[in-house]
Structure formats: C-alpha cells, structure tokens
Amino acid sequence: MKCLVVIVLFSSVWAWPSDFSEYDGPSFAQRQQDINRLLYKVDDILQFAELKEVADNFDPEADLSSYSDGGEAVKHLLTELRDHRLLKKHHWFSLFNKRQREEALILFDVFMHCKTWQATINNAAFFRERMNEGEFVYAIYAALVHTDLGRGIVLPPLYEVTPHLFANSEVIHKAYTAQMTRTPGKFQMEFTGSKKNPEQRVAYFGEDIGLNTHHVTWHLDFPFWWDDIYGYHLDRKGELFFWAHHQLTVRFDIERLSNHLNFVDELYWDKPIREGFAPHTAYRYGGEFPARPDNVEFTDVTGLVRVRDMIIYESRIRDAIALGYITAADGSHINIRDEHGIDHLGNIIESSAYSPNLEYYGALHNEAHILLGRQGDPKGKFKLQPGVMEHFETATRDPAFFRLHKHIDNIFKEHKDTLPPYTKEQLEFTGVVLDEIVVNGPLETYFEDFEFSLINAVDHNPEFGEVDVSAVVKRLNHKPFNLNIEITNENVDNKHAVVRVYLCPTTDANGVELSLEKARWNCIELDKFWTKPGPHRKLRRQFLIPQASSRSSQQSTRQSTRELKFISRSSTEDAAFPIGCFFRKDAKKAWV
Ligand code: CUO
C-alpha cells in the first residue's frame, strides 16, 4: 500500500435523493418472496404450488386492461411463442446474440407494461415455464431495475441464481456429485490457471464473484439497448459507460501494481492477442466456455464481425475526436468539445441505442466483445458456444477484457486531452477550505473466505430432496480505517458539498515515480458523499469491518438466496465486502 496516496476532493454539486417511495400493493415481504420463488431453480419447473398453478392456468390475454399498452407486448410475445420461434429451454443465452436479446426484451416489454404487481407475477410465472431460462432471468432483472414495481426489492445475487456463470466447473461438478450421493458439502473454489501464468496473480480480481455481479448489474442499470420509449431517459449513460469502465480498468491496474505486474497494455487490432485464457467454467447447458491460446491473431468472426470494420469504425471515432464533433445520421454536427462531449462519445463507442449514428460509427465496443469471445472458433467450425467475453457476468475473467477496455479508455483519454483545462473559477469552492485529512488505520488488505450457495447449480429429485452445497472462495477485504476530514466553511450559511475520495498510485511496478498526469488518470474512486459544512465543520468517515453495514458508496453488501424456500425466516446477510470501488450498495433490508 506504500505506493498509494489518498486524495480528497470536494465540490458544491448537488447529490442524489433517496429512492424509496410509498407503494400501494402487496407488502414488501410478499413481493420479495414472489421474486425469490420465481428465481429459485430457474432451470427447473416452479417449485411452489401457488405459482405453479398460476403458470399452468393464467391466460395473459384474458384481461388486457392490466397492461398500459393494451396488451400489445404480451400479444407479440404470445404470437412468437405459439409460432415456436422462441429459443428453447436448456440452451445458453447471451445478450450479445441479437435474436436472443430481442426475445428477452419482448418479455421485458411485457413486464414494463404491467400495471400491477399481480399482473407482473402472473406473467412472470407463465413465461418462466415457457421461455428460455436465461432470457427470463435477464428480462425480470431488467424490469425490476427499471420499474417502480421493483422499488425496494432486493435482487437475489446472480452468483447464486445462475452459479454456472460465476463458479468454476470443478466446484460445480463437486456440487453435482454431492447432490447425487446426497452428501452435503462446501467446496473450496480456486482461481483458474497456474503460477506459470503471471496473469494468475490478479485472477482473484477478474474472477471475483462480486466484481462480476457488479459488472452485470451496471449493465442492467445502463443497458446499451435502452430506448427512451420505455418511459424515461438514462441521464449521462454514455459518460457513465466511460467512467464505470475507466474505474474498472484503473482498479485492475492498481491490483497489478500490488502484485508486481505493470500497468496493463492495450490491445491492437493488428497485433496478436498476447494472453490466452482457459476459463475452467461451463455453461449449464452447452458445454465448456471456449478457451483461447496465447498470441492468437484477430480473425473475422464469420457472419458477425470483421476486423477491418473495427479499424474503420475506430478511425471514424478518432476523426470525430480530432475534429471536435460527431456527424449525426442526418449529417448535422454534434459538438463534443463541451461538458456533454464525453456522453456523446460514450454512446458511439459503446454502441448504445443512444448513438446518433450507429451506421457510421458502428458498434465498436459490443462487437469487440463478440470478436474476442469467438477467437477460439471464429469460423464456427467446432460449433463452440460464445466465449466469456459475450456475457457481462463472465467477461472480466478474461485478461483480454482489460486490454480491450484499456484500449477504449485510451480513446476517451484522447478526447479528454483535446479539452481545455478547468479554470480556477470552475474548480474553486468559494469560502470552503479543506484544512486537513487524517487517515486512521493501516490501509491494509487481506484475503478471507467467502461462502455462496450452489443449490441452484444442481438438479434434484423431489422424492429425495436437496442437499446443502456451497462454494468457498478467497476474496479481498481490508482492515477497518477511517478518514477524519477537516473543512472550514468561511461563508455565513451552510454549504452543500460533495466529497470525493480517491486512492492514487504514485509509482509503477518497478518503483519508478509516476508523473502527476499518469498518476491522476489512474486514481480510483474510494468514496463519494455529501455534507453541509457549517463553520469549522469536522467530518469523520469510517470504512468499517465486514459484518457491519459499510458507509462507503463504493462498497458492497450482499444477500444470500440460501433461504429462498424459507423466506419467512430472515435470510438477509448484510455483510460488507469492500473489495474496492465497484460494488453497488444494493442490499436494503427488505427481507422480512
Ligand atoms: Cu462492461 Cu465491455 O462493457 O464490458
């Protein structure tokens, strides 16, 4: 930790409101139980009599007044279902697959138009039994994130709902054996690869189940396919794409520095992909995730992505940066040399539906995920399924993920470097002075065991019941510390201030001091909160130990699905797992 420094910045920007609203309908407990039960063993039939009854007998078209679109979406989905066009059950699902995404989004559209909780649950039960499981899970998570009906609902952690996408094949096989032999077990999960691979030193980060959950959840919050016809605009989505992935990339770099590896290099379309990868992870249906040897040259993916298109799209994006404007589909120019430029640029690079010119700027980021995901079988000769890069749950496992995102981050930096520096007036907070910051505590990290349930990874025969199976994996944590921040407000009134805390590297892996420019670009956001400093206001900010609720905006709390069937008992595990700067604090105590 000696190569890192803590930096505190503060400004007068307004902060975010509380997001809870009164809800007129079934209680939180009832709604939470409905969701838990729908997501319990999604690869099997519904295990709960009431929901099974709904699934068997509900007619989605019987009462079209329960939909805000008059039932248009549900009629569309039923037509697809009756015409046998939907993806079958027990098949892999990837959001990057256009048709599979379309199907998931028709169901999402149905949920978005349900006027009541009951209509949502009835449709969920009905389509859960008739649609592909991956499409169902994606649609219901996205709907709960983006509708008022989902407010306050704790989404069960995806690593326990779809464990195959988070756990390696070895522990999954052990869980199967345990179920077959009816012997409960806790299985130690190791990181993939061997010590012969230097990248193995940071596998704990890319394979962290919390990091992967954070990543997939971020993309649920800000989906690239989002269209404002769903009811609202996702403010600064392109900018947040940049920021979230910038933070992912620089945090990975800090982990590398701590493990005597230097900053990750970017990838190049015309050079071999230096690191190979063997995922040691399998789909629940469809076999192992494909592997890729070291130093593979980029090859076109038949029918999906051409390498030369990536070069062309990127060159157009770099032209836009050099010129200072994006060319919209109607030929007009959109200025990017202002505070909104990064947002527009994020939209065209991510290939968001918000892109003003998808035809011209293409789908650089999304197609890069597919291109990298398919390099093990680019021609489709071996009928291999999508690679880890084609799922947000698994993408960071592959070291190529960070090379890709370093490459993309450098494109954003190229844009940032064209902007004029902030002025003194823009930066100063008149009359408010940061006098002192004291860090109390060791700033020390360590690994600890973390257990999660594998019960949803295995099939069971109801006649013989389930056995308890779980995985135990090493995860990064830190010793408690707190920050005392002393601020003087020389104004006569209270000021509303936002405090941001960053942790920044000062040297590279060889101990060579970094330039200020390099160091500041690699800072990770450790915390962000608002306060109203009165005269001589002192702030104390604690970073607490696991098992307590943490206050940092960047720490995670977790929930377990362990007690899904026994939801009348409390199943909340409100432990904080502060691996760093990425995790949502999404576990509100709603399980009662
Ligand atoms: Cu999150 Cu490339 O966007 O993974």
Side-chain angles (χ1 to χ4, degrees):
M1 198 50 85
K2 63 181 183 227
C3 62
L4 301 172
V5 294
V6 173
I7 293 179
V8 176
L9 299 177
F10 63 107
S11 64
S12 56
V13 181
W14 269 96
W16 42 94
S18 159
D19 61 357
F20 270 86
S21 62
E22 286 305 311
Y23 176 76
D24 185 18
S27 66
F28 267 144
Q30 180 62 53
R31 291 189 291 139
Q32 186 69 62
Q33 186 183 67
D34 290 341
I35 293 304
N36 293 345
R37 290 182 166 187
L38 282 164
L39 292 168
Y40 177 72
K41 298 231 166 189
V42 283
D43 298 283
D44 204 343
I45 56 169
L46 274 162
Q47 310 277 309
F48 304 92
E50 265 179 46
L51 284 171
K52 185 79 180 92
E53 161 92 14
V54 172
D56 292 344
N57 299 313
F58 175 66
D59 175 2
E61 291 176 301
D63 178 12
L64 296 180
S65 70
S66 59
Y67 307 103
S68 58
D69 62 349
E72 206 175 304
V74 86
K75 285 193 268 185
H76 181 190
L77 187 53
L78 286 168
T79 303
E80 299 291 308
L81 179 67
R82 286 173 188 138
D83 291 349
H84 305 286
R85 281 200 286 265
L86 297 180
L87 180 66
K88 64 183 180 188
K89 277 180 166 290
H90 295 185
H91 189 285
W92 55 262
F93 160 73
S94 168
L95 190 65
F96 288 90
N97 179 300
K98 188 165 177 282
R99 172 61 192 171
Q100 293 179 6
R101 181 170 70 247
E102 278 169 7
E103 292 179 9
L105 294 188
I106 305 171
L107 179 58
F108 167 75
D109 206 19
V110 172
F111 292 142
M112 291 298 280
H113 288 102
C114 287
K115 289 185 189 170
T116 63
W117 182 256
Q118 201 52 53
T120 309
I121 294 306
N122 289 347
N123 276 288
F126 180 87
F127 287 108
R128 181 196 188 278
E129 300 297 80
R130 292 164 178 81
M131 284 184 72
N132 174 271
E133 305 84 354
E135 293 182 351
F136 169 77
V137 169
Y138 187 79
I140 196 160
Y141 269 75
L144 290 170
V145 167
H146 289 286
T147 61
D148 277 351
L149 292 171
R151 291 238 168 160
I153 297 291
V154 178
L155 297 175
L158 282 163
Y159 52 78
E160 289 188 341
V161 174
T162 52
H164 280 72
L165 297 176
F166 296 85
N168 63 36
S169 324
E170 288 84 356
V171 296
I172 298 274
H173 285 144
K174 286 178 183 168
Y176 272 117
T177 304
Q179 179 62 47
M180 293 291 284
T181 56
R182 309 201 58 228
T183 315
K186 278 184 199 174
F187 309 110
Q188 189 69 41
M189 186 165 96
E190 305 298 336
F191 302 111
T192 59
S194 74
K195 286 182 180 171
K196 290 180 185 167
N197 180 7
E199 294 298 314
Q200 176 73 10
R201 291 182 220 160
V202 284
Y204 68 86
F205 183 75
E207 296 178 18
D208 183 83
I209 57 170
L211 173 66
N212 287 311
T213 302
H214 158 76
H215 186 223
V216 66
T217 309
W218 187 89
H219 281 283
L220 278 162
D221 286 350
F222 299 97
F224 63 81
W225 47 263
W226 183 264
D227 189 315
D228 291 355
I229 57 167
Y230 294 122
Y232 55 95
H233 184 73
L234 292 175
D235 189 36
R236 297 164 72 196
K237 185 160 81 77
E239 180 179 358
L240 287 168
F241 170 75
F242 153 68
W243 180 247
H245 292 83
H246 171 70
Q247 285 292 302
L248 266 176
T249 310
V250 296
R251 174 58 194 269
F252 181 62
D253 274 339
I254 282 185
E255 295 303 328
R256 294 178 74 83
L257 295 183
S258 306
N259 286 282
H260 311 288
L261 293 169
N262 236 327
F263 296 98
V264 72
D265 194 9
E266 61 181 313
L267 57 71
Y268 303 86
W269 307 122
D270 54 354
K271 287 187 187 169
I273 310 163
R274 190 142 357 128
E275 281 97 19
F277 179 57
H280 288 250
T281 313
Y283 285 94
R284 176 144 190 165
Y285 302 102
E288 297 280 332
F289 277 89
R292 184 189 64 239
D294 283 345
N295 295 312
V296 165
E297 302 267 359
F298 274 111
T299 304
D300 292 350
V301 178
T302 306
L304 286 175
V305 187
R306 289 185 299 202
V307 182
R308 70 172 179 274
D309 288 343
M310 306 299 282
I311 295 167
I312 291 168
Y313 292 145
E314 184 175 323
S315 157
R316 289 172 181 170
I317 291 166
R318 288 189 192 271
D319 277 352
I321 291 169
L323 292 165
Y325 62 81
I326 287 167
T327 305
D330 64 2
S332 62
H333 291 173
I334 300 169
N335 179 30
I336 56 169
R337 294 268 168 84
D338 62 13
E339 69 270 32
H340 303 296
I342 189 80
D343 194 33
H344 297 306
L345 205 55
N347 287 334
I348 64 170
I349 290 175
E350 186 189 10
S351 48
S352 157
Y354 281 179
S355 167
N357 198 344
L358 260 176
E359 278 295 305
Y360 187 68
Y361 295 110
L364 186 73
H365 164 263
N366 281 6
E367 292 194 352
H369 271 262
I370 298 170
L371 188 62
L372 282 163
R374 298 295 174 117
Q375 290 307 299
D377 182 24
K379 306 283 178 231
K381 279 170 71 179
F382 309 109
K383 215 177 164 200
L384 293 184
Q385 40 290 328
V388 293
M389 285 294 285
E390 292 169 88
H391 302 269
F392 291 125
E393 294 92 332
T394 53
T396 60
R397 304 172 83 85
D398 186 340
F401 172 92
F402 293 102
R403 284 186 178 263
L404 167 66
H405 275 281
K406 178 60 77 77
H407 182 74
I408 286 174
D409 203 47
N410 287 345
I411 300 176
F412 283 115
K413 180 138 194 329
E414 193 168 304
H415 161 71
K416 292 251 178 202
D417 288 345
T418 68
L419 301 175
Y422 289 112
T423 62
K424 182 169 180 288
E425 290 69 36
Q426 286 171 319
L427 289 177
E428 90 182 342
F429 193 174
T430 309
V432 179
V433 180
L434 179 60
D435 297 310
E436 191 179 24
I437 313 157
V438 178
V439 182
N440 297 312
L443 286 188
E444 204 173 301
T445 56
Y446 60 94
F447 283 95
E448 67 181 6
D449 282 344
F450 181 94
E451 185 182 353
F452 64 101
S453 171
L454 295 176
I455 207 132
N456 287 331
V458 296
D459 302 311
H460 74 281
N461 183 332
E463 203 182 317
F464 300 111
E466 299 166 323
V467 298
D468 208 4
V469 280
S470 59
V472 178
V473 65
K474 295 276 181 226
R475 297 191 64 203
L476 198 61
N477 202 345
H478 67 75
K479 292 194 174 164
F481 66 93
N482 63 49
L483 301 175
N484 287 349
I485 304 167
E486 196 168 323
I487 296 173
T488 305
N489 175 12
E490 290 162 353
N491 299 286
V492 290
D493 52 345
N494 282 346
K495 286 290 174 190
H496 192 116
V498 174
V499 181
R500 292 183 174 84
V501 183
Y502 294 91
L503 192 65
C504 307
T506 55
T507 62
D508 71 9
N510 296 319
V512 177
E513 199 168 314
L514 299 175
S515 67
L516 187 59
E517 173 64 6
K518 175 78 177 165
R520 66 118 193 143
W521 185 251
N522 282 277
C523 292
I524 58 171
E525 187 180 311
L526 208 59
D527 195 7
K528 177 170 63 183
F529 59 96
W530 61 266
T531 183
K532 291 195 169 184
H536 274 281
R537 172 74 182 273
K538 286 186 187 178
L539 291 173
R540 189 161 178 273
R541 190 68 170 172
Q542 286 188 306
F543 289 76
L544 296 168
I545 52 171
Q547 313 311 330
S549 56
S550 163
R551 293 187 64 196
S552 166
S553 64
Q554 306 300 323
Q555 294 191 11
S556 71
T557 46
R558 65 152 322 210
Q559 224 79 71
S560 171
T561 51
R562 172 79 43 103
E563 307 283 335
L564 281 175
K565 288 177 78 175
F566 310 104
I567 193 61
S568 59
R569 298 207 316 249
S570 168
S571 60
T572 300
E573 291 179 29
D574 191 15
F577 284 87
I579 189 168
C581 60
F582 303 118
F583 302 133
R584 286 162 55 89
K585 216 171 156 183
D586 58 357
K588 291 158 185 157
K589 288 190 175 177
W591 296 43
V592 288

